[in-house]
Amino acid sequence: SKTTMSESMEVDTPAASTSAPPPEPVQPAAEEDEEEDCSDLADLLDSISDATPADKIPILTSILNEPKNRYGSTAAALKERAVYALARAYCEDNRHDAVVTLLTGETCAPFFANITKAKTAKVVRAVLDSVCALAPEELDMQAQICQNIIAWCRAEKRSFLRQRVEAKMASVLFQQDKYGEALTLVDRLLVELKKLDDKQLLVEVHLVESKIHHGLRGMAKSKAALTASRTSANAIYVAPSLQSQIDMMSG
């Protein structure tokens, strides 16, 4: 009987192994093909180089709202460039009302819905910085853009981006000499950021806080905020432009 058992075991083992299906060959991702013919979008983007701002706007808008709804890596990169170019075109054409609604209106909505939250945050901040640089005197416009984005972030539950735009909003309020509003916003924001230990944003917000207190002639509080900004800055890499602002406040 021992011989019979061992024979049956020997027979069973290969039978079990042959019954397992062979592994499926890995298929290459099918998306690569459709990703990408975006030559039409690239051609449109290239065509605006010599156009006037007014002529650029409809072309750039058509890229963002193209009917094929392409959002692969190539298309997304082209559309990101289109967003930046459209913001610049609006500023150059003095269409500040359109700049205010650009990021939170229908033009960019499909793009933001199809890219990651991190990428959205990057694009929004870059556009905001670009607009503020192109129209530095238009503080009311800057404040309105910030308010729109903050409201949109709350609706979309995007805390990371909201905090960054609120930091910008505090800076704009400071430039408008609205020290009380700016300080209220900064105080609330700092409570959130200290819990998260977001050192990069703590550097920026403490710096704004220092400027506000300096404007209010609260020198002790201004110095304390500047020290807090420097302490956070020592733990991370700080962009040269931000470091220069810290150094200027330090005297």
Side-chain angles (χ1 to χ4, degrees), residues 11 28 44 129 138 157 173 181 220 225 232:
V11 171
L44 281 171
D129 289 343
E138 299 290 336
K157 296 182 171 57
L173 289 169
E181 288 180 52
S232 293

Side-chain angles (χ1 to χ4, degrees), residues 68-249:
K68 293 183 183 176
N69 292 319
R70 285 163 287 182
Y71 293 101
S73 59
T74 306
L78 290 167
K79 289 181 179 182
E80 182 179 348
R81 285 171 56 198
V83 173
Y84 300 144
L86 188 53
R88 282 195 301 274
Y90 278 140
C91 286
E92 289 165 1
D93 205 35
N94 291 316
R95 290 180 56 181
H96 296 138
D97 56 333
V99 177
V100 167
T101 57
L102 170 63
L103 294 171
T104 54
E106 293 180 5
T107 305
C108 290
F111 176 57
F112 289 151
N114 284 278
I115 61 174
T116 64
K117 288 186 176 183
K119 173 69 82 173
T120 301
K122 177 204 162 196
V123 172
V124 169
R125 285 200 85 186
V127 170
L128 198 51
D129 289 343
S130 172
V131 167
C132 293
L134 288 166
E137 305 302 316
E138 299 290 336
L139 295 174
D140 289 340
M141 176 196 71
Q142 293 178 25
Q144 189 59 57
I145 293 172
C146 290
Q147 286 171 0
N148 285 6
I149 297 170
I150 290 164
W152 179 76
C153 288
R154 289 189 187 284
E156 296 283 323
K157 296 182 171 57
R158 300 193 181 210
S159 300
F160 177 85
L161 178 56
R162 171 184 56 77
Q163 289 161 351
R164 275 142 186 78
V165 180
E166 283 181 339
K168 184 66 179 176
M169 180 73 180
S171 179
V172 173
L173 289 169
F174 164 72
Q175 291 177 72
Q176 291 178 310
D177 296 331
K178 296 180 179 179
Y179 299 143
E181 288 180 52
L183 197 55
T184 300
L185 180 54
V186 162
D187 287 345
R188 183 171 54 73
L189 192 51
L190 284 172
V191 171
E192 290 185 44
L193 297 178
K194 284 173 183 173
K195 287 178 185 173
L196 299 170
D197 197 29
D198 186 335
K199 286 191 167 43
Q200 181 65 50
L201 206 49
L202 279 168
V203 173
E204 297 176 31
V205 177
H206 276 307
L207 183 60
V208 176
E209 181 192 21
S210 177
K211 291 177 181 178
I212 294 166
H213 283 304
H214 190 271
L216 292 168
R217 299 289 183 266
M219 296 307 167
K221 288 183 177 180
S222 177
K223 190 174 179 181
L226 185 60
T227 301
S229 180
R230 274 205 306 261
T231 301
S232 293
N234 288 338
I236 58 168
Y237 168 76
V238 176
S241 57
L242 183 56
Q243 186 62 56
S244 66
Q245 289 185 58
I246 296 170
D247 294 342
M248 280 178 64
M249 278 300 292

